[in-house]
Amino acid sequence: MTLLVTGGAGFIGSNFVLDWFAQSDEPIVNLDALTYAGNLQNLAALQGHAAHTFVRGDIGDRPLLDRLLAEHQPRAVLHFAAESHVDRSIHGPGAFIKTNVEGTFTLLEATRAYWSALRGAAREDFRFHHVSTDEVYGSLAPSAPAFTETHPYEPNSPYSASKAASDHLVRAWHHTYGLPVVTTNCSNNYGPYHFPEKLIPLMIVNALAAKPLPIYGDGQQVRDWLYVTDHATAIRAVLAGGQLGETYNVGGWNEKTNKEIVLTICALLDELAPSAEGPYTRLITHVKDRPGHDRRYAIDAGKIERELGWRPAETFDSGIRKTVQWYLANKDWVANVQSGGYRDWVATNYSVR
Ligand code: NAD
Ligand code: TYD
């Protein structure tokens, strides 16, 4: 038995792989292109681990996919690889179409060819697990009910549109070809190894460097936050027991405004790493809003709880404290990801705000 994981050097993928080996000896072949967001340092704890095979490569490389599938005969493909940052998708949508749409298409086709040739239990038990986002559903009014799996797709950013397209491809490959797929649509994750271009790690890292904490617009946008290892347990539950062709919403039952998130991080840093200059809230600045900024996401994770018994283990209070502590204890990781390319991104995104 083996899993083929794509994007396993990114934030969620690496947390999934680490969590997997904390519970299982089943091998993982980890295919990742190591874009700016991929980082082998996330997987340093697995160095020399016989069951972990890392392959640097692109999900759009069909010959490579065919070779890996033939060689390793996985029982499942877990598809995390994607371009994942909304702001980058606004500045340069092409990479999102290339990886999220075309790459997912190529992966589906390679998987279909492999699965079609399987026989007996290997064919019966095979799964293609597509990891997706709640952003495909669009934006909610303040008092509207949270997204269920039947909410219409109304993506608003190039990122969410590319993920929506990939979800549709996965659905069609099941409906048309019978490929045994499951899809999870998860809310905003946070935790260790989160690249500091996203809200939570950016605020922690900037605060510690006494840099401004840039809140887009009024900061009253709402996201639902899930600690990343809870996402890993949800994926394991769906892989093990999810119904073929079904989608499962995954969320933390934690709706927070961006302003609340930033204030919470400031308060934790005041407690754990106080600054001689005064409270970290002094660094908060309101900057120009993101174009097309979705106002509110909220996940109804009732289906996965009813059908598979999954609920998040972390509360927001416990998860955010662990996260801040992790960044305080891993300043080398932060320094290493703040490469030249990352500095260029900061100039591109924030100089116009
Ligand atoms: P990430 O940007 O941190 O990591 C993405 C990984 O994919 C990187 O390691 C990168 O090198 C790799 N990759 C990118 N293009 C590739 C390609 N063409 N071929 C092979 N590898 C490639 O992203 P993440 O936050 O870990 O997100 C993982 C998945 O979860 C994505 O599909 C994303 O849409 C989804 N998701 C993310 C969140 C979130 O809050 N971060 C929430 C819900 C769903
Ligand atoms: P982000 O982490 O980019 O996730 P997503 O856009 O996929 O939800 O952003 C989370 C929220 O934080 C989003 O409403 C945008 C906001 N945000 C800021 O206010 N300032 C920032 O510097 C960043 C990166 C995000």
Side-chain angles (χ1 to χ4, degrees):
M1 299 296 224
T2 294
L3 305 179
L4 175 61
V5 167
T6 73
F11 164 48
I12 302 174
S14 63
N15 275 286
F16 176 85
V17 169
L18 293 170
D19 188 66
W20 182 264
F21 287 123
Q23 347 259 333
S24 170
D25 295 328
E26 185 178 353
I28 286 182
V29 178
N30 186 347
L31 172 65
D32 194 298
L34 297 181
T35 68
Y36 80 93
N39 185 352
L40 281 180
Q41 231 193 322
N42 301 1
L43 301 164
L46 297 177
Q47 236 171 16
H49 196 301
H52 181 242
T53 305
F54 182 80
V55 178
R56 182 173 192 179
D58 198 298
I59 55 166
D61 182 344
R62 178 69 192 266
L64 173 65
L65 294 175
D66 289 342
R67 182 170 67 71
L68 291 177
L69 289 162
E71 203 175 295
H72 296 281
Q73 297 283 307
R75 71 170 174 99
V77 171
L78 275 77
H79 180 30
F80 294 88
E83 288 292 334
S84 71
H85 186 33
V86 174
D87 292 314
R88 282 185 193 256
S89 83
I90 294 167
H91 289 277
F96 289 71
I97 305 304
K98 189 103 203 125
T99 285
N100 301 0
V101 186
E102 290 175 30
T104 300
F105 161 72
T106 305
L107 184 65
L108 281 166
E109 280 293 81
T111 306
R112 180 166 75 92
Y114 164 73
W115 167 77
S116 300
L118 294 176
R119 295 289 169 262
R123 186 183 166 97
E124 279 290 292
D125 296 343
F126 184 80
R127 293 289 179 273
F128 182 98
H129 186 131
H130 180 54
V131 179
S132 193
T133 166
D134 61 355
E135 303 194 24
V136 297
Y137 299 124
S139 188
L140 283 172
S143 56
F147 300 128
T148 63
E149 290 76 1
T150 56
H151 195 281
Y153 271 43
E154 291 170 341
N156 291 319
S157 71
Y159 164 65
S160 56
S162 68
K163 290 298 289 187
S166 69
D167 292 10
H168 291 325
L169 293 177
V170 170
R171 176 190 158 88
W173 261 240
H174 174 68
H175 198 78
T176 302
Y177 304 112
L179 190 70
V181 308
V182 284
T183 295
T184 42
N185 292 90
C186 189
S187 62
N188 286 57
N189 285 214
Y190 67 102
Y193 306 113
H194 203 181
F195 195 82
E197 66 183 356
K198 304 279 173 73
L199 178 73
I200 288 181
L202 182 96
M203 294 298 161
I204 300 171
V205 166
N206 277 15
L208 291 173
K211 290 187 179 155
L213 307 180
I215 293 182
Y216 297 168
D218 64 4
Q220 294 308 307
Q221 303 85 0
V222 173
R223 300 291 183 263
D224 170 84
W225 292 95
L226 181 73
Y227 192 69
V228 63
T229 48
D230 278 327
H231 192 180
T233 62
I235 289 172
R236 278 195 276 119
V238 172
L239 181 67
Q243 294 292 313
L244 294 187
E246 289 292 310
T247 66
Y248 295 87
N249 283 355
V250 181
W253 303 103
N254 268 316
E255 282 188 59
K256 305 271 180 213
T257 65
N258 294 338
K259 191 73 178 271
E260 277 177 278
I261 297 286
V262 175
L263 291 176
T264 304
I265 290 169
C266 288
L268 277 166
L269 287 173
D270 286 338
E271 175 195 330
L272 299 169
S275 159
E277 315 297 314
Y280 287 100
T281 48
R282 76 184 192 281
L283 298 169
I284 291 176
T285 46
H286 285 264
V287 299
K288 192 164 163 236
D289 208 352
R290 172 188 279 173
H293 199 170
D294 284 337
R295 198 67 184 163
R296 176 175 167 240
Y297 304 139
I299 277 279
D300 179 337
K303 176 177 171 181
I304 187 173
E305 180 169 358
R306 281 190 305 279
E307 295 190 10
L308 302 173
W310 177 88
R311 260 193 86 81
E314 296 289 342
T315 63
F316 188 71
D317 286 350
S318 64
I320 193 70
R321 179 172 284 274
K322 275 191 193 177
T323 303
V324 170
Q325 283 168 333
W326 188 87
Y327 279 88
L328 287 170
N330 289 276
K331 290 185 177 151
D332 288 354
W333 181 91
V334 172
N336 285 336
V337 298
Q338 287 178 319
S339 64
Y342 176 80
R343 281 195 297 275
D344 291 347
W345 162 249
V346 170
T348 307
N349 192 39
Y350 295 97
S351 63
V352 292
R353 290 201 136 90

